[in-house]
Amino acid sequence: MHHHQPHAKPGRIYKHTRGVIFLGTPHRGSDKTGYADVITNIASAALHKPNKKLVQVLRQDSEILEAQRASFSAISKDIPLACIYETRPVAGIGIVPEYSACLDGYSVETDQIEADHMDMCKFSDSSDIGYQRVAGFVIDFVSHTIEDRMNVLLRDLWFEEIGDREDDIRPTHAQTFKWILDPKSSKVDAGNFVDWLCRRNSEFKSDRIFWVSGKAGSGKSTLMKYLYRDPRLKSHLKLWADGLPLICAAVFIWDRGKSMMHKSREGMVRSLLHQILSRHKHLIPVTFHKRWTIDYAIRSTQDVEDWLSHERRGPSWDWSELILAIKLLTDESFLEQHDTRMRFCIFVDGMDEYRTFDDLNLPPNEMISRKKQGFRDIAELFKQLAQSSVVKLCLSSRHLVEFLDAFNVRRQRIKLEDLTFTDITVYTRGTLGSNERWKAMRTQTPDLARSLTIQIVKKALGVFLWVVLVVQLLLNGLQDGDRLEELQRTIESLPPELGGEDGLYALMMSNIKVEHRRQCLELLELVRYSCRPLTPFGLAIADGECCEIAVLDIQETPVIDATRVEYISSRMEDRLNSRCAGLLETVDNDQSTNENGILSKRTVQFMHQTAKDFVEQPRIWELFLPDSSKNFNAHASLFNSCIQQLKVAYPHAKLGYKNRSARKTLGGSPSVWNFIQDAMLYAFRNEQHSHRADTKPLDQLDECAHHLLQGRWIEQRQDKSFVPHWVCLAPDFNTRGDFGDLYHDLAMNRPNFLSYAVHFGLGCYVASKLDEQDYHEGHGVKRPLLSYAVGESGPVECQLIPMLVKILFDHGADPYRSHRETTPWQELLSHSAARSKNHSKSASWKEIIEIFLRQVDTLAQISKIESMITSLYRKTHDGSEWISLKKTPARLHEVSADGENEYVFKALPTSELPPNTRFLQSRLKARADAIHTKIMAYPSACFTPDPSSK
């Protein structure tokens, strides 16, 4: 039926079928004597007045019956089946034999019930063996569905970069850090750590937190990785767990990571939840009850297949939902309510690299204060988790006052730089001792060599990274033929700190050839501002390699083969070594090379967080190029790199379009979209930097993406009445995996490249295009551009750009224009709760509210806006954070016009309103007052009908 009939209802039933149970169903005819009569008698007894044609089919070895069985087998091959047959005959009638009651096939299970055909479905109670057998099949079928749904939710929690930072941390040098897990260690603080791991009960809740503090570069991350992976850790913790299941989970926060998830609270908690729930899936439905019962309740087999193909995602994760989930999972009473008892030891490295989503794109001067508040917030979160007796927390960071004030720990803390003297000595002797030149020199002058080693260790002041860099300088000196006395003078001249204008990094950069310094600073900025880790090839393109292809059309651009890519990449790595003083390094990643050889297995990054901090200081250009202006725009260079890589890498890429589920078959390789989305973000940043439109490169990106994507789309569509723009395939425009639903959505919205530009906040570009005759808001676009400008999609830094909103209003945008029962006004108002929490965008939201209100000219419009607010309250909030409709009048404002020159404006109490809504209430009242004043002065001019209120 699903394959041969067009009816939608049977198709939906089939799609959501998880299993089929047959109870005494005759599937076959038979030529055995008397069998047809038995079947006919049973049908007559069961149906009382059976259909004569049906009985005729059952009375013979019917071709119809066999055809129906074969057809069912064809459509049910992926559906689990159970066939249950009776064992007793109906008195005077007979029995449906096992031969007829059971289907063939690998997915078919069979069983029997000790009853006749009339009673096999009748059960006395839940202890009835027949009931238990049927229920067993039902539970088995449904459990597969539940498992699928659990996997979907876990996959939605997961993110691609979830383990990147841990993998990036270098392993410990041989024989270092072993003391930390040795209860007999002579280091007093190490003994405290082992004691903390084993301790079962503590009088103080603060004792559940152990703080690994240390200077920048002292080896905190290396130690945390060592602890988390050492098997001795769990041996100690099992004494605390006292026989209960033990879960160890770890998060390594990473400010240098190119994904927001590396350094945000959302990424941290999602990682912890994923690690815990992956091992205890049965807690998923109760931990995320609302999401489980609503968002994941009706997922079909096709949905799960889409998810497995990275095509389906649930709703975006809200911070309040995530924090509630982690608090529930670590709450002892919650676990006991669900028959679960366990212990958690959670490791969080890099608290001082933590950022909120709101802060990631703030200007530097605002970032400092927000960072400090972020540190206080994360410390408070961990203190709340430590309220539970089932949790231990091992945290690491630099010695920041925010953490000192929050944790107030005494015994449960180590200062790492005070404990690594022996480790640094072992590392220095071991690394130098493996060099043949050093061995020979040590043989000739052993006392001087020993003195040099001690000098290094003492001057390091516990900063492991300083030692690593200095030892490498000495190895370079040995290769250059330096004498031991010269190496000693080198050590004496080195500053003991890493950063700052007089630190080791500054000294390293001062040794770069003068003619290479500009390129060094440019390469550092390119890596600093890149959206995601750059490959050596991508960095080379941004640095000017292959610049001849920039002026070519995509059809004229030659494909660069893997050999040329490898050559260019290798040359860039050589340039990094000679021009960047070791501040940048190339590292392996897990990405495999595609058929064009363009995706490298290596990426470029800062060698340490301290190096990134050093490069971000404002005066770095002035320090190293004092007689030259900066005159370098990294965003424009990175934008051009994205376009040129698209040109040379993907003209002949296999983009697919062979099935209906995978997004890659609709939109090409994920890397194609990475280039396109990164290019748009760089274009936005370039506009913010230069305050002018750079239309030609963006038009070139549009043309390039059209060539790569839209042609494939057109080839697959038989219906040519509507040919979507390539933008329709963008992952941030399309979150559906179903081709039909996607096509319907696209036909309703019809976005184009101008829509995409608004989506990314490109105000100057949009203004330029709207000034051209071929571009205006209604041309080929059903969803208003203003909706994209105030919607909550796209990168955070590109959302809610007041200048862009003003440009759209200057070009005739209508805030009341309805699309799919939603107006731009409603979209703006619906995000007021989020904006009150999003510190980086709350001010922009308020400014845009003012811009919108300046378009309001009548009291009727004021009333309409008030009605929108009331409707949104009623539709989207239950009173937990917002005003409760049960306690206060339904209308936030009450506006009416009496006669021609009077009105009444009654504001409701504001004590329960969120901040942004209080702001909106006050501004709306101020606008109404202004309109009223105008009415009083010019009554005849102001009471013209409001066309938008019709």
Side-chain angles (χ1 to χ4, degrees):
M1 182 180 295
H2 176 69
H3 289 287
H4 302 294
Q5 294 186 18
H7 302 299
K9 188 174 181 180
R12 288 196 298 269
I13 294 172
Y14 174 86
K15 184 177 181 180
H16 294 283
T17 299
R18 292 307 189 196
V20 179
I21 300 175
F22 294 102
L23 292 134
T25 304
H27 296 288
R28 295 180 176 86
S30 175
D31 56 0
K32 296 180 180 180
T33 305
Y35 173 73
D37 292 333
V38 171
I39 296 295
T40 303
N41 291 337
I42 289 177
S44 300
L47 302 175
H48 302 293
K49 293 182 179 180
N51 184 290
K52 292 182 179 181
K53 291 183 179 180
L54 175 61
V55 172
Q56 183 64 29
V57 168
L58 294 175
R59 286 185 62 86
Q60 55 187 322
D61 192 3
S62 169
E63 293 181 2
I64 298 176
L65 191 61
E66 289 300 309
Q68 184 67 29
R69 183 179 61 82
S71 176
F72 179 76
S73 297
I75 69 170
S76 64
K77 60 182 179 180
D78 295 325
I79 299 176
L81 305 175
C83 295
I84 304 176
Y85 57 92
E86 68 256 36
T87 60
R88 300 173 185 170
V90 177
I93 296 177
I95 189 173
V96 176
E98 180 182 354
Y99 164 80
S100 178
C102 296
L103 293 166
D104 300 323
Y106 292 107
S107 63
V108 180
E109 298 186 60
T110 62
D111 208 334
Q112 63 183 30
I113 290 180
E114 300 294 333
D116 61 29
H117 191 85
M118 306 302 293
D119 293 331
M120 68 184 301
C121 300
K122 300 174 182 177
F123 312 117
S124 57
D125 54 43
S126 60
S127 63
D128 191 306
I129 187 64
Y131 174 88
Q132 291 181 2
R133 287 176 178 172
V134 174
F137 283 119
V138 172
I139 292 171
D140 185 52
F141 294 162
V142 174
S143 66
H144 291 299
T145 303
I146 293 175
E147 183 76 13
D148 288 341
R149 291 163 61 196
M150 289 177 176
N151 288 336
V152 170
L153 191 144
L154 282 174
R155 190 50 179 264
D156 284 350
L157 273 175
W158 181 86
F159 50 93
E160 187 176 359
E161 311 87 352
I162 201 166
D164 284 1
R165 172 53 175 157
E166 183 181 356
D167 295 338
D168 181 75
I169 299 171
R170 293 179 176 86
T172 55
H173 187 270
Q175 304 304 314
T176 58
F177 290 143
K178 290 186 178 295
W179 49 266
I180 186 69
L181 288 170
D182 183 1
K184 298 180 181 179
S185 172
S186 60
K187 300 179 188 293
V188 176
D189 291 332
N192 288 345
F193 182 69
V194 174
D195 176 67
W196 176 80
L197 292 173
C198 301
R199 194 183 311 148
R200 292 185 183 177
N201 298 308
S202 175
E203 180 181 354
F204 303 104
K205 294 176 181 177
S206 61
D207 287 351
R208 296 167 190 154
I209 295 176
F210 196 98
W211 182 21
V212 177
S213 62
K215 295 179 181 179
S218 59
K220 298 182 295 297
S221 296
T222 304
L223 175 63
M224 292 290 279
K225 179 177 178 177
Y226 174 81
L227 284 173
Y228 180 61
R229 294 193 173 184
D230 193 297
R232 291 178 296 167
L233 176 80
K234 287 191 176 181
S235 298
H236 295 312
L237 284 170
K238 284 179 179 178
L239 297 174
W240 165 62
D242 197 20
L244 294 177
L246 174 67
I247 289 183
C248 292
V251 176
F252 296 83
I253 305 172
W254 194 20
D255 183 50
R256 285 176 292 149
K258 293 304 178 183
S259 166
M260 292 182 180
M261 303 305 288
H262 281 135
K263 46 201 165 189
S264 70
R265 59 186 186 182
E266 286 80 0
M268 175 185 70
V269 175
R270 280 174 62 177
S271 178
L272 291 174
L273 289 170
H274 187 271
Q275 293 175 66
I276 295 170
L277 293 174
S278 294
R279 300 175 218 180
H280 290 274
K281 292 183 181 180
H282 68 284
L283 293 174
I284 290 176
V286 291
T287 304
F288 292 106
H289 177 71
K290 183 178 179 181
R291 181 177 284 259
W292 178 261
T293 55
I294 297 176
D295 301 313
Y296 295 84
I298 57 173
R299 296 241 171 167
S300 66
T301 304
Q302 183 62 48
D303 292 330
V304 177
E305 291 174 358
D306 290 345
W307 169 76
L308 292 173
S309 301
H310 299 263
E311 299 316 311
R312 268 310 191 54
R313 296 287 181 188
S316 59
W317 294 99
D318 181 73
W319 172 242
S320 60
E321 180 183 20
L322 292 171
I323 193 60
L324 175 61
I326 195 66
K327 287 180 179 178
L328 284 175
L329 276 179
T330 54
D331 182 78
E332 188 171 16
S333 61
F334 173 81
L335 295 173
E336 289 178 351
Q337 287 175 13
H338 299 93
D339 300 321
T340 302
R341 299 184 67 199
M342 67 180 81
R343 294 290 183 265
F344 303 94
C345 187
I346 296 173
F347 290 79
V348 180
D349 174 58
M351 289 190 298
D352 49 313
E353 298 186 40
Y354 160 84
R355 308 288 181 265
T356 67
F357 264 149
D358 304 347
D359 302 336
L360 293 176
N361 299 295
L362 285 175
N365 58 332
E366 296 181 39
M367 181 74 81
I368 296 174
S369 60
R370 289 298 304 151
K371 276 184 180 180
K372 291 184 177 181
Q373 183 58 47
F375 297 153
R376 289 189 284 269
D377 292 344
I378 194 174
E380 182 60 31
L381 167 61
F382 292 135
K383 287 174 64 177
Q384 291 177 18
L385 294 182
Q387 300 292 313
S388 172
S389 61
V390 302
V391 175
K392 285 182 184 285
L393 293 157
C394 182
L395 313 172
S396 82
S397 75
R398 286 175 288 171
H399 310 296
L400 298 183
V401 66
E402 290 79 14
F403 300 131
L404 283 166
D405 293 343
F407 298 141
N408 192 28
V409 291
R410 294 180 176 86
R411 295 180 65 246
Q412 291 77 235
R413 177 189 177 190
I414 60 173
K415 297 180 181 179
L416 191 55
E417 64 270 18
D418 294 343
L419 302 172
T420 53
F421 185 92
T422 302
D423 294 321
I424 289 175
T425 303
V426 169
Y427 172 82
T428 304
R429 288 175 177 171
T431 306
L432 291 175
S434 63
N435 183 277
E436 294 300 325
R437 291 184 175 89
W438 175 264
K439 289 179 182 179
M441 191 177 290
R442 185 178 59 188
T443 302
Q444 298 297 319
T445 54
D447 292 339
L448 193 56
R450 188 180 306 110
S451 173
L452 184 63
T453 302
I454 294 173
Q455 187 179 5
I456 293 172
V457 175
K458 287 184 176 180
K459 197 164 187 177
L461 300 176
V463 179
F464 228 119
L465 179 59
W466 188 91
V467 177
V468 172
L469 296 173
V470 170
V471 168
Q472 186 58 51
L473 288 175
L474 295 184
L475 292 175
N476 294 340
L478 287 169
Q479 188 173 354
D480 294 339
D482 289 357
R483 299 186 182 94
L484 200 55
E485 295 84 354
E486 292 173 315
L487 296 178
Q488 193 167 27
R489 286 196 296 271
T490 298
I491 298 299
E492 292 172 352
S493 68
L494 295 177
E497 65 277 354
L498 289 170
E501 296 183 8
D502 300 317
L504 183 59
Y505 291 142
L507 180 63
M508 291 162 62
M509 286 191 65
S510 67
N511 292 328
I512 299 173
K513 294 179 180 179
V514 175
E515 61 268 26
H516 288 165
R517 289 185 185 180
R518 171 170 286 278
Q519 188 174 25
C520 168
L521 292 169
E522 290 178 356
L523 289 170
L524 291 171
E525 288 221 347
L526 289 170
V527 175
R528 175 188 175 189
Y529 288 115
S530 61
C531 297
R532 66 187 78 245
L534 288 168
T535 64
F537 177 77
L539 182 58
I541 297 292
D543 190 44
E545 189 79 44
C546 303
C547 57
E548 70 277 1
I549 65 177
V551 298
L552 298 177
D553 292 335
I554 187 170
Q555 294 90 340
E556 303 171 344
T557 305
V559 179
I560 294 183
D561 59 23
T563 303
R564 178 98 187 273
V565 170
E566 183 58 35
Y567 169 72
I568 293 173
S569 299
S570 177
R571 192 164 63 176
M572 173 49 68
E573 292 191 41
D574 291 340
R575 294 170 76 82
L576 293 177
N577 292 333
S578 66
R579 287 160 170 77
C580 294
L583 297 180
L584 295 178
E585 62 182 4
T586 54
V587 295
D588 292 331
N589 61 28
D590 296 330
Q591 200 168 30
S592 59
T593 305
N594 76 344
E595 64 269 20
N596 296 89
I598 209 67
L599 297 182
S600 172
K601 292 184 178 180
R602 298 182 67 75
T603 54
V604 182
Q605 66 178 30
F606 286 100
M607 52 84 64
H608 191 263
Q609 179 62 32
T610 52
K612 182 173 182 285
D613 293 341
F614 170 74
V615 169
E616 288 177 345
Q617 62 179 314
R619 295 185 64 244
I620 186 168
W621 282 77
E622 181 183 339
L623 288 172
F624 296 102
L625 286 175
D627 300 325
S628 174
S629 61
K630 183 175 180 180
N631 193 28
F632 177 68
N633 187 340
H635 307 306
S637 297
L638 289 165
F639 176 88
N640 291 329
S641 176
C642 290
I643 296 180
Q644 292 177 48
Q645 288 184 80
L646 278 174
K647 284 183 178 182
V648 301
Y650 294 101
H652 304 296
K654 297 177 181 178
L655 301 184
Y657 302 98
K658 293 183 179 179
N659 62 67
R660 65 195 291 268
S661 63
R663 176 177 294 150
K664 65 181 180 181
T665 64
L666 292 178
S669 163
S671 297
V672 173
W673 286 113
N674 289 347
F675 284 133
I676 293 173
Q677 291 171 337
D678 289 355
M680 296 297 289
L681 187 54
Y682 294 138
F684 169 78
R685 293 174 178 173
N686 186 33
E687 275 200 5
Q688 299 297 300
H689 174 80
S690 63
H691 305 290
R692 62 181 179 84
D694 207 357
T695 58
K696 188 174 180 180
L698 281 163
D699 290 342
Q700 194 175 43
L701 174 63
D702 185 14
E703 177 190 356
C704 186
H706 172 90
H707 179 79
L708 292 174
L709 301 170
Q710 193 160 353
R712 269 77 165 184
W713 172 282
I714 295 171
E715 291 170 6
Q716 296 299 313
R717 290 299 302 168
Q718 295 179 354
D719 177 13
K720 301 297 192 298
S721 60
F722 165 53
V723 179
H725 191 279
W726 66 264
V727 165
C728 299
L729 309 179
D732 44 355
F733 269 48
N734 163 34
T735 57
R736 298 172 180 258
D738 186 279
F739 187 92
D741 289 343
L742 166 64
Y743 189 76
H744 176 264
D745 269 10
L746 299 180
M748 293 296 293
N749 290 332
R750 298 199 181 189
N752 57 21
F753 190 66
L754 192 61
S755 310
Y756 208 43
V758 174
H759 177 73
F760 276 90
L762 296 172
C764 296
Y765 177 82
V766 170
S768 174
K769 290 300 178 181
L770 289 176
D771 287 338
E772 297 178 10
Q773 187 173 358
D774 292 338
Y775 282 85
H776 55 86
E777 185 178 10
H779 185 69
V781 184
K782 285 194 172 182
R783 185 182 178 191
L785 294 179
L786 195 57
S787 291
Y788 290 106
V790 299
E792 199 170 21
S793 60
V796 174
E797 63 185 295
C798 301
Q799 297 175 16
L800 294 181
I801 308 299
M803 181 194 74
L804 174 59
V805 174
K806 187 176 184 303
I807 287 169
L808 293 176
F809 276 126
D810 290 343
H811 287 81
D814 181 2
Y816 304 99
R817 179 182 168 192
S818 179
H819 172 65
R820 304 184 78 173
E821 300 182 353
T822 301
T823 67
W825 249 121
Q826 289 171 311
E827 292 208 41
L828 179 64
L829 295 173
S830 66
H831 301 319
S832 58
R835 301 309 174 201
S836 65
K837 299 176 184 178
N838 187 327
H839 298 280
S840 67
K841 286 298 176 182
S842 182
S844 298
W845 179 84
K846 290 179 179 179
E847 187 175 349
I848 290 174
I849 285 290
E850 296 281 11
I851 295 172
F852 267 66
L853 286 174
R854 285 200 289 270
Q855 318 304 314
V856 176
D857 297 317
T858 68
L859 292 178
Q861 290 176 332
I862 292 283
S863 184
K864 177 182 286 189
I865 297 167
E866 180 276 329
S867 298
M868 292 179 194
I869 298 171
T870 302
S871 175
L872 287 168
Y873 268 59
R874 191 175 289 119
K875 285 166 56 179
T876 61
H877 299 286
D878 58 7
S880 58
E881 288 187 83
W882 290 72
I883 184 172
S884 172
L885 295 176
K886 296 180 180 178
K887 297 179 181 178
T888 58
R891 295 173 68 83
L892 189 64
H893 303 123
E894 294 182 6
V895 181
S896 62
D898 298 330
E900 293 188 351
N901 57 2
E902 294 183 7
Y903 83 105
V904 178
F905 190 108
K906 185 170 70 176
L908 300 183
T910 61
S911 58
E912 297 185 57
L913 294 175
N916 273 3
T917 310
R918 291 199 296 271
F919 167 81
L920 178 59
Q921 185 187 54
S922 66
R923 300 315 301 150
L924 201 58
K925 181 181 185 301
R927 187 60 183 166
D929 288 340
I931 294 172
H932 178 248
T933 301
K934 188 177 180 182
I935 290 172
M936 296 296 292
Y938 308 101
S940 60
C942 293
F943 267 92
T944 55
D946 175 18
S948 63
S949 63
K950 292 181 181 179

